[in-house]
Amino acid sequence: MTKVKIQFIKPGMMTTIQDAGRLGFLQYGVPKGGALDVRAMQMANWLVGNKLENAVLEITMMGPTIEFDNACQIAVTGASMPLKINGLEANCCECLQINKGTVISFGRLVSGCRGYLAIGGKWKVDSWLGSKSAFFFGRQNTTPESLIKKGSVVEIEPNSISNRQLPIVPVTDTSEKIKVVKGPEFDFFSKEFIGYFFSRKFRISPESNRMGYRLEKRIESYQAKRIISSGIIPGTIQITPSGQAVVLLSDAQTIGGYPRIANVIVADLDLLAQKKPGDDLEFELVDLTTANELRKGKNKKFEFLKN
C-alpha cells in the first residue's frame, strides 16, 4: 500500500508524538514518558487496528491542522475537541476513512485537556530507547521528529480495517475528586496539615507541564522537612519547602528530595491527565485494597481492547 505523508499546516498549542513510553530505564534516570492518558491512546489505536502501544499524536488544548497526501484511517479520542474534516464536523471515537488531499482540524476545546489522534499503520519516526515519545533528556531533544512544528511531515505505512466504534463513552468530565493512597512520608505531616490538604480545592498553576502540575494554593502552616532523594513515579505528590504541592506526571524526574504525601492511584491517572491549568484538583484518600479494586474494575471495563 502507498505510504501516507501528513503535513502540519498548523502545529496546535502543543502537539507531540507519544506512545507507551520507555520501560526499564528508571535506574538510569530516564523517565517513562509516553502518553499521559494511556487509555485514550489505547482506544485510538484500537479503533484503527494498531497495536495498543503504537505511536499517536497527543494534542494539548488546541489542535493542529493536518493535510493528508493519501488515503488512510484515523481515530480521535480523549478530550472533547471537535474534529473537522475539510471544514465539516466529524465523529470522534470511531474509525474514519480519510481520502487523498483531506485536511483535518479541531474546534475549540469543550472539556478535558489532551486529545489523541491515531492513524492506522506503522509510523516512520525515529525512536530513542525503544520509544518514539517526545522527550528532552537534559537539554537534548532526543526525538526531534516527535515535537510537532509548523511544516513538520510524518510518514506512515498505512493499514486498513473494517469500521470500528467504541463500545463505551469516554469520560471527559474532570470534576470528580482524584483518589490517592498514602505516600511514604505521609506520617511526616501533622493532622492539621493532612486535614487541610484533603478538605481543599487546589487550582492547577499555569506553570505546569508534562513533568507535573504545580498547585497554586500554598499551605502556610507547613514545617519544611527534607528527605534523602528517593524514587518517584507518575502520580507522586510532593510538598515543597514553601508548602506548595506538586503532582508529578510521566516526564518527571525519577528521584526527588521533597516529602511524598500521597500518590494518585493507577485507576485515576488518566483522569488526572485530562486536567489543565486553571482547573481545580481535590483529593480523596483511599486504602490500598480500594485502589486495587478500582484498578481491576477499570481493567475489566476496557477488556474489549484485547480483541
Side-chain angles (χ1 to χ4, degrees):
M1 186 178 289
T2 306
K3 292 180 181 178
V4 177
K5 288 184 179 179
I6 63 172
Q7 182 170 8
F8 291 83
I9 300 170
K10 295 180 180 179
M13 178 177 288
M14 182 181 179
T15 303
T16 58
I17 295 174
Q18 301 289 344
D19 53 25
R22 297 173 177 87
L23 304 177
F25 297 97
L26 293 178
Q27 66 267 38
Y28 304 112
V30 180
K32 171 181 172 290
L36 291 183
D37 187 337
V38 175
R39 289 300 187 189
M41 174 196 73
Q42 292 177 337
M43 288 189 289
N45 274 321
W46 178 83
L47 284 167
V48 295
N50 289 346
K51 292 181 179 179
L52 299 184
E53 65 271 18
N54 272 25
V56 297
L57 289 177
E58 183 176 85
I59 299 165
T60 305
M61 294 179 65
M62 182 184 298
T65 299
I66 309 170
E67 183 174 10
F68 293 74
D69 81 339
N70 220 321
C72 62
Q73 292 178 323
I74 70 168
V76 176
T77 61
S80 180
M81 191 183 302
L83 169 66
K84 296 182 179 181
I85 298 178
N86 293 329
L88 301 176
E89 285 202 15
N91 292 334
C92 293
C93 300
E94 68 174 88
C95 179
L96 300 172
Q97 183 66 43
I98 295 296
N99 298 319
K100 180 178 180 179
T102 294
V103 175
I104 71 169
S105 58
F106 295 83
R108 185 184 297 273
L109 179 71
V110 177
S111 62
C113 179
R114 295 174 173 89
Y116 293 84
L117 169 64
I119 302 174
K122 184 178 181 181
W123 293 46
K124 309 296 286 183
V125 178
D126 288 341
S127 298
W128 184 66
L129 299 181
S131 171
K132 294 176 171 60
S133 291
F135 180 66
F136 286 84
F137 191 59
R139 295 184 178 181
Q140 180 185 2
N141 184 354
T142 59
T143 51
E145 292 177 299
S146 297
L147 181 61
I148 301 302
K149 302 175 182 179
K150 182 178 180 179
S152 290
V153 175
V154 176
E155 189 176 90
I156 295 151
E157 293 180 357
N159 58 24
S160 181
I161 64 165
S162 300
N163 183 267
R164 281 181 170 180
Q165 294 182 332
L166 288 180
I168 61 173
V169 178
V171 176
T172 58
D173 178 14
T174 59
S175 61
E176 63 183 90
K177 292 183 179 181
I178 299 295
K179 298 177 182 64
V180 301
V181 293
K182 292 180 179 179
E185 287 78 47
F186 184 86
D187 292 334
F188 277 28
F189 300 90
S190 68
K191 291 181 179 179
E192 291 76 16
F193 184 97
I194 291 169
Y196 187 96
F197 183 81
F198 287 105
S199 63
R200 295 293 188 275
K201 289 183 179 181
F202 296 89
R203 182 150 295 174
I204 299 174
S205 166
E207 298 176 357
S208 299
N209 52 36
R210 281 180 47 90
M211 292 184 68
Y213 294 145
R214 290 186 176 273
L215 306 186
E216 288 186 339
K217 187 179 292 184
R218 287 175 166 79
I219 305 175
E220 301 296 341
S221 63
Y222 176 55
Q223 300 295 316
K225 293 184 179 181
R226 288 279 187 173
I227 62 171
I228 297 173
S229 289
S230 303
I232 50 180
I233 58 176
T236 295
I237 304 174
Q238 296 180 305
I239 306 297
T240 69
S242 67
Q244 183 181 39
V246 180
V247 187
L248 300 177
L249 301 176
S250 292
D251 283 356
Q253 69 274 19
T254 58
I255 59 172
Y258 300 140
R260 301 158 291 181
I261 190 172
N263 214 95
V264 177
I265 68 172
V266 171
D268 276 9
L269 286 174
D270 296 333
L271 183 64
L272 180 69
Q274 291 300 342
K275 295 282 190 177
K276 59 184 178 296
D279 284 351
D280 289 333
L281 271 180
E282 284 187 274
F283 301 105
E284 178 184 348
L285 186 64
V286 299
D287 58 27
L288 288 173
T289 299
T290 300
N292 282 326
E293 288 174 352
L294 290 169
R295 176 182 56 82
K296 291 176 182 177
K298 186 172 182 180
N299 287 342
K300 186 174 182 179
K301 179 179 178 181
F302 289 97
E303 280 185 345
F304 70 90
L305 293 172
K306 300 176 182 178
N307 300 324

